Amino acid sequence: MIDKRVASLTEALEGIGDGATVMIGGFGAVGQPDALVDALAEIGPRDLTIIANNAGWSAETGISHLMARGLVRKMICSFPKGSEVFKSLYTAGKIELEIVPQGTLAERIRCGGAGIPAFFTATGYQTKLSESKETREFDGRHYVMERSLTADVALVEAWKADRWGNLIYRGSSRNFNPIMSMAAQLTIAQASEIVDGDGLEPNAVVTPGIFVNRVVQVESRVDDLLRAQKAS
Amino acid sequence: MIDKRVASLTEALEGIGDGATVMIGGFGAVGQPDALVDALAEIGPRDLTIIANNAGWSAETGISHLMARGLVRKMICSFPKGSEVFKSLYTAGKIELEIVPQGTLAERIRCGGAGIPAFFTATGYQTKLSESKETREFDGRHYVMERSLTADVALVEAWKADRWGNLIYRGSSRNFNPIMSMAAQLTIAQASEIVDGDGLEPNAVVTPGIFVNRVVQVESRVDDLLRAQKAS
Amino acid sequence: MTGTPTSIGLDTAGMAKRLADDIHDAWYVNLGVGLPTEVANYVTEEREVVFHSENGILGMGPTPGDNEIDPWLVNAGKKPVTLRPGASLFHHADSFAMIRGGHIDLCVLGGYEVSQAGDLANWTTPSGDLMPAVGGAMDLAVGAKRTWILMRHTTKDGQPKLVETCTYPLTAPAAVDRVYTELGVFEIRDGGLHVVSLSEGLDLETVQARTGATLHA
Amino acid sequence: MTGTPTSIGLDTAGMAKRLADDIHDAWYVNLGVGLPTEVANYVTEEREVVFHSENGILGMGPTPGDNEIDPWLVNAGKKPVTLRPGASLFHHADSFAMIRGGHIDLCVLGGYEVSQAGDLANWTTPSGDLMPAVGGAMDLAVGAKRTWILMRHTTKDGQPKLVETCTYPLTAPAAVDRVYTELGVFEIRDGGLHVVSLSEGLDLETVQARTGATLHA
């Protein structure tokens, strides 16, 4: 029987070693797999490369929490502003940064999951972010060649899941989660609810279970996180 | 008020001229916008380039109907077998054919809609279908560069629509419809039902209305078409 | 081209409203974080302008009341929003397919500098920020059908932000179609700045004096 | 290497069953049109092998009864199918993202020829078909984690289909991991054909005589 449910966060995160590349879903707090990320910080693998849109906002939770513990070697993201932890590490030269335009970041991840090693986009042409990159003209317009991104692990948050690993999302919490699920060797989802029986409705599934390896049920803390974010 | 509903097939198809490139959704009969295609055959624009997975199966309906009327100059598809009309035109040298691997066809269309002019895929490497194409090695593996596809018009079938042009699909009828909706200047959808009021549930929408220009309600004939297909 | 600070022209509400009046009904519009977000306040619901948020929303409605907040539904500025009838939700790759694929009728962004060629600089400073961040600005500037910039006409110390050539790092070359400032509305075409309208009580000379490139009447 | 027609070895049902027995429980599997489709008949529901159809289905179940047909739900051969619990539906670009992205554990395809290097020819004839058609074969052959070929060992007139070098146009180079025929199961590695098993009552000499490349025991 296919059963991707695991009983604990520790079990869910088993096998993430030093030097791993980890994609983390979410746009700010919404859709961020906070419980998984905080549990990963406890486990403490070192020299991580993190791929995410943001760099977190509080040393107490999420990506900034990983950084505060000294576990992150490199950040690949579009918008690290808002993280004091990242800022101090970065200005001290203690963390690497690769800034990627948000849409290029999304497409590099999607292509990573879709078996496409490289693609062309007009985004970033003649900017500092494409300085070292190959450019090319198609039909009179200029484009930058971008390479896809894959990861050892993706940590994602879903609203509901089933034992086959199918996922659905709430509100604007899809963001990077469906594409990161596709792009990692090991995709681990935290979900507010895991439905029993015949699983989610086939037409409603957003992330098919083929992309998901483990599912763990945890109450979403997005209410708390947004409050904390607001206060910070 | 945004209202993409039109009252008739003729109104829905207004403005499709000679020489147009037309994407037609569907995988066989399922998800094929049969009423729109048959009405287009009546209107009769000439020298069409058709982009679709198949080439139809019956001279009485769909893509083969367009061909039987002598309206199609070129077919871009993955699997034209099953269409006697196409076969006789093709063997007589009266129609051009570009054969594209099915996944490459799908991705070329998606990229067309996503503003990506070209991408790399391992599909087709060292085959007749990539003979004239640029190839390139990434990380020790060989890939073919493929260009995106766009169209003047996309004809798609949906199960339900709303006045904003949002679409949802039934069963396996999504197939090429969502990606073709993205890749055309003018996207026209036939839907079995157009819901009133506040429209489709935001989380259930598969094709957001931004990709759709016109919606026309017609009873789906897929039952009939499948019967006809079986009999042919 | 002087160092005089501008206290003339529209206030920020007036600027947002001026731009809002030029948006066509039923357009799909992405509003950047900051002042551009204010534009939505001046577009009535009946006009059915469809607001896009790059984190996966089409059909955003106004800010919810304190008791109506859905924490899972935020805009690109990570602030709570609502959904209007006809809304849809999707993931980031689909959202930027809309942007990059030219499906968004208009994006409104802020700017550090805009050149007469339409080059846009709005993401980082010449020295490089202490911490650079780009977000979706580069994608929006090259992808949307129209890119309109909503910004103050000059810097705080009176330097013009409409210039011949950008000195700030570019967000995108030749991307801007229009610029809305407190002093007027300017269209960029054929490599030059063309005045669409000047704010009430202002003449060309006054505005030209605060502009770093030639204004064509 | 002779022209003797083979009437020895397994029948087609036996071939499909032999392959089905090697599929691991819980694998994601795409079965090509024709004989490969038959493999599903020999995989029990309890094993929860998840069948993928390139037209946008994961979790296909068996053929429905005449009264249970949903015309909107067909497989890649355009025949009615059912859904099992845990199924999901998606569009063609997502479906081939699964294939091209290496998420499908196994695809089973038919073959005209397979070379000892794993080159696969299964889409058109050397002369070019009257009407060529490729479908999803090229994507599946290069994309799936494993490509197994299910085919007769020889052509109707007794020519070997397992060969040193393909004479038919390639579907994909170096793509095949295993070949299942009525005579046995063969693994391709290090540029050669290795016998995994021979069908009951057959010896290596008999099978080698019907094979166009060296078989390694």
Side-chain angles (χ1 to χ4, degrees):
Chain A
M1 193 175 95
I2 295 175
D3 194 350
K4 300 185 179 183
R5 294 172 291 188
V6 294
S8 70
L9 291 164
T10 311
E11 196 180 334
L13 293 165
E14 201 181 302
I16 304 178
D18 291 353
T21 296
V22 183
M23 290 179 174
I24 299 177
F27 186 83
V30 176
Q32 185 205 246
D34 45 75
L36 283 170
V37 178
D38 289 348
L40 184 64
E42 295 303 316
I43 295 169
R46 310 191 74 80
D47 290 321
L48 301 177
T49 295
I50 301 295
I51 301 172
N53 190 61
N54 305 104
W57 63 89
S58 157
E60 308 302 316
T61 187
I63 298 171
S64 289
H65 185 39
L66 283 176
M67 290 174 179
R69 295 236 172 171
L71 306 176
V72 182
R73 185 180 65 77
K74 182 178 180 180
M75 187 76 222
I76 300 175
C77 69
S78 92
F79 203 84
K81 277 184 185 169
S83 167
E84 289 303 312
V85 175
F86 177 79
K87 189 176 181 181
S88 60
L89 287 169
Y90 182 66
T91 50
K94 289 183 176 166
I95 196 166
E96 293 173 49
L97 172 64
E98 180 180 345
I99 285 279
V100 185
Q102 196 172 140
T104 298
L105 182 64
E107 192 64 20
R108 289 176 68 189
I109 293 166
R110 183 196 171 270
C111 284
I116 293 166
F119 64 96
F120 293 91
T121 175
T123 302
Y125 177 70
Q126 278 190 347
T127 72
K128 281 171 65 173
L129 297 188
S130 67
E131 268 170 0
S132 60
K133 290 177 178 168
E134 185 174 328
T135 64
R136 183 152 172 168
E137 194 176 327
F138 293 100
D139 302 330
R141 198 173 177 202
H142 296 275
Y143 298 87
V144 180
M145 191 177 82
E146 293 282 357
R147 296 296 310 274
S148 61
L149 285 169
T150 55
D152 300 305
V153 183
L155 305 181
V156 303
E157 192 207 42
W159 182 239
K160 292 185 185 180
D162 63 26
R163 69 173 169 90
W164 294 272
N166 294 309
L167 307 179
I168 62 174
Y169 303 89
R170 173 174 166 180
S172 64
S173 74
R174 295 189 196 187
N175 54 63
F176 284 87
N177 287 305
I179 51 176
M180 287 179 171
S181 297
M182 298 166 61
Q185 285 299 312
L186 172 66
T187 294
I188 306 164
Q190 71 170 72
S192 297
E193 184 186 342
I194 302 182
V195 303
D196 283 330
D198 284 357
L200 296 167
E201 207 277 301
N203 212 359
V205 170
V206 173
T207 295
I210 190 172
F211 297 127
V212 178
N213 300 92
R214 299 174 193 161
V215 175
V216 60
Q217 193 275 326
V218 283
E219 289 304 312
S220 174
R221 289 184 288 148
V222 74
D223 300 78
D224 296 340
L225 294 174
L226 283 176
R227 255 193 299 278
Q229 191 172 1
K230 223 168 187 172
S232 73
Chain B
M1 193 175 96
I2 296 175
D3 193 352
K4 301 185 179 181
R5 293 172 293 187
V6 295
S8 70
L9 291 165
T10 311
E11 196 181 334
L13 293 165
E14 203 181 301
I16 304 179
D18 291 354
T21 297
V22 183
M23 290 178 176
I24 299 178
F27 187 83
V30 176
Q32 186 204 246
D34 45 75
L36 283 170
V37 178
D38 289 348
L40 184 64
E42 295 303 317
I43 295 169
R46 309 191 73 81
D47 289 323
L48 300 176
T49 296
I50 302 295
I51 302 172
N53 190 61
N54 304 105
W57 62 91
S58 157
E60 308 301 317
T61 188
I63 298 171
S64 288
H65 185 39
L66 284 175
M67 290 174 180
R69 296 235 172 173
L71 305 176
V72 182
R73 185 180 66 75
K74 182 179 180 181
M75 187 76 222
I76 301 175
C77 68
S78 92
F79 203 84
K81 277 185 186 169
S83 167
E84 289 303 312
V85 177
F86 177 79
K87 190 176 181 179
S88 60
L89 287 169
Y90 182 67
T91 50
K94 289 182 176 167
I95 195 165
E96 293 172 51
L97 171 64
E98 180 180 345
I99 284 279
V100 185
Q102 196 171 140
T104 299
L105 182 64
E107 191 64 19
R108 289 177 67 189
I109 294 165
R110 182 195 173 272
C111 284
I116 293 167
F119 64 95
F120 292 91
T121 175
T123 301
Y125 178 70
Q126 279 190 347
T127 73
K128 280 171 65 173
L129 297 187
S130 68
E131 267 170 1
S132 61
K133 291 178 179 168
E134 185 174 328
T135 63
R136 183 154 171 166
E137 194 177 327
F138 292 101
D139 303 329
R141 197 173 176 201
H142 296 276
Y143 297 88
V144 179
M145 191 177 82
E146 295 281 357
R147 295 296 309 275
S148 62
L149 285 169
T150 55
D152 299 305
V153 183
L155 306 181
V156 304
E157 193 207 42
W159 182 239
K160 293 186 185 180
D162 62 26
R163 68 174 170 90
W164 294 271
N166 295 308
L167 307 179
I168 61 174
Y169 304 89
R170 173 173 166 180
S172 63
S173 74
R174 294 190 196 188
N175 53 63
F176 284 88
N177 288 305
I179 51 177
M180 287 179 171
S181 298
M182 298 166 62
Q185 284 299 312
L186 173 65
T187 294
I188 306 164
Q190 71 170 74
S192 298
E193 184 187 343
I194 302 183
V195 303
D196 283 329
D198 284 357
L200 297 167
E201 208 277 303
N203 212 359
V205 170
V206 173
T207 295
I210 190 171
F211 298 126
V212 178
N213 301 91
R214 300 174 192 162
V215 175
V216 60
Q217 193 275 326
V218 283
E219 290 303 311
S220 175
R221 290 185 288 149
V222 74
D223 299 78
D224 296 341
L225 294 174
L226 283 176
R227 257 193 299 278
Q229 191 172 2
K230 222 168 187 173
S232 73
Chain C
M1 204 184 309
T2 76
T4 316
T6 54
S7 56
I8 56 174
L10 301 170
D11 59 11
T12 53
M15 291 164 65
K17 185 176 182 317
R18 176 67 187 82
L19 191 150
D21 288 344
D22 283 353
I23 295 176
H24 290 213
D25 292 2
W27 270 5
Y28 295 90
V29 177
N30 183 295
L31 301 175
V33 176
L35 182 54
T37 302
E38 303 292 313
V39 170
N41 298 333
Y42 303 96
V43 178
T44 60
E45 196 158 342
E46 307 83 75
R47 295 180 53 190
E48 290 214 318
V49 170
V50 182
F51 290 108
H52 172 266
S53 187
E54 55 262 42
N55 56 320
I57 309 173
L58 265 182
M60 272 193 300
T63 305
D66 275 354
N67 297 327
E68 295 157 343
I69 290 173
D70 176 353
W72 278 262
L73 195 69
V74 300
N75 65 13
K78 301 176 183 87
K79 301 276 184 281
V81 290
T82 51
L83 296 182
R84 285 194 176 159
S88 54
L89 300 162
F90 34 86
H91 63 54
H92 248 83
D94 283 348
S95 185
F96 280 86
M98 290 177 196
I99 293 170
R100 198 189 308 100
H103 305 280
I104 303 289
D105 292 298
L106 170 67
C107 75
V108 182
L109 299 172
Y112 293 152
E113 282 182 338
V114 175
S115 83
Q116 61 191 0
D119 296 350
L120 171 64
N122 78 346
W123 75 283
T124 191
T125 59
S127 59
D129 277 335
L130 277 181
M131 189 165 62
V134 67
M138 289 187 180
D139 306 279
L140 284 160
V142 305
K145 283 181 195 155
R146 299 167 189 82
T147 297
W148 292 356
I149 304 302
L150 181 61
M151 66 178 192
R152 305 293 302 177
H153 203 89
T154 55
T155 62
K156 278 177 190 160
D157 55 1
Q159 292 306 307
K161 297 172 72 175
L162 277 165
V163 295
E164 287 189 352
T165 307
C166 290
T167 58
Y168 277 55
L170 291 193
T171 301
V176 177
D177 301 287
R178 284 186 167 209
V179 180
Y180 288 75
T181 77
E182 75 278 19
L183 303 187
V185 180
F186 311 91
E187 190 162 286
I188 291 167
R189 59 170 195 268
D190 310 325
L193 292 166
H194 299 259
V195 176
V196 175
S197 68
L198 298 176
S199 299
E200 206 182 325
L202 299 182
D203 58 22
L204 185 60
E205 191 182 2
T206 308
V207 179
Q208 178 66 72
R210 288 161 173 81
T211 306
T214 304
L215 293 176
H216 304 276
Chain D
M1 207 184 307
T2 77
T4 316
T6 53
S7 56
I8 55 174
L10 301 170
D11 59 11
T12 52
M15 291 164 66
K17 186 178 182 316
R18 176 65 187 83
L19 192 149
D21 289 343
D22 282 353
I23 295 176
H24 290 214
D25 293 2
W27 270 5
Y28 295 91
V29 176
N30 183 295
L31 301 175
V33 176
L35 182 55
T37 301
E38 303 292 312
V39 170
N41 298 333
Y42 303 96
V43 177
T44 60
E45 196 157 344
E46 307 83 73
R47 294 181 53 190
E48 289 214 317
V49 170
V50 181
F51 290 109
H52 172 266
S53 187
E54 54 263 42
N55 57 319
I57 310 172
L58 265 181
M60 273 193 299
T63 305
D66 274 352
N67 296 328
E68 296 157 343
I69 289 174
D70 176 353
W72 278 262
L73 196 69
V74 301
N75 65 13
K78 302 177 182 86
K79 301 276 184 281
V81 289
T82 50
L83 296 182
R84 286 193 175 162
S88 55
L89 299 163
F90 35 85
H91 63 54
H92 248 82
D94 282 349
S95 186
F96 279 87
M98 289 176 196
I99 293 170
R100 198 189 308 101
H103 304 281
I104 303 288
D105 292 297
L106 169 68
C107 75
V108 182
L109 300 171
Y112 293 152
E113 282 182 338
V114 175
S115 83
Q116 62 191 358
D119 296 350
L120 170 65
N122 76 347
W123 76 283
T124 192
T125 58
S127 59
D129 277 336
L130 275 183
M131 190 166 61
V134 66
M138 288 187 180
D139 306 279
L140 284 160
V142 306
K145 282 181 196 157
R146 299 168 188 81
T147 298
W148 292 355
I149 305 302
L150 181 62
M151 65 179 193
R152 306 292 303 176
H153 204 88
T154 55
T155 64
K156 278 176 190 160
D157 56 1
Q159 292 306 308
K161 296 173 71 175
L162 278 165
V163 295
E164 285 189 353
T165 308
C166 290
T167 58
Y168 276 54
L170 290 195
T171 301
V176 177
D177 300 288
R178 283 185 168 209
V179 180
Y180 290 74
T181 78
E182 75 278 19
L183 303 188
V185 181
F186 311 92
E187 189 162 287
I188 291 167
R189 60 170 194 269
D190 310 324
L193 292 167
H194 297 261
V195 176
V196 174
S197 67
L198 298 177
S199 299
E200 206 181 326
L202 298 182
D203 59 22
L204 185 60
E205 191 182 4
T206 308
V207 179
Q208 179 66 71
R210 288 159 172 84
T211 305
T214 303
L215 293 175
H216 304 276

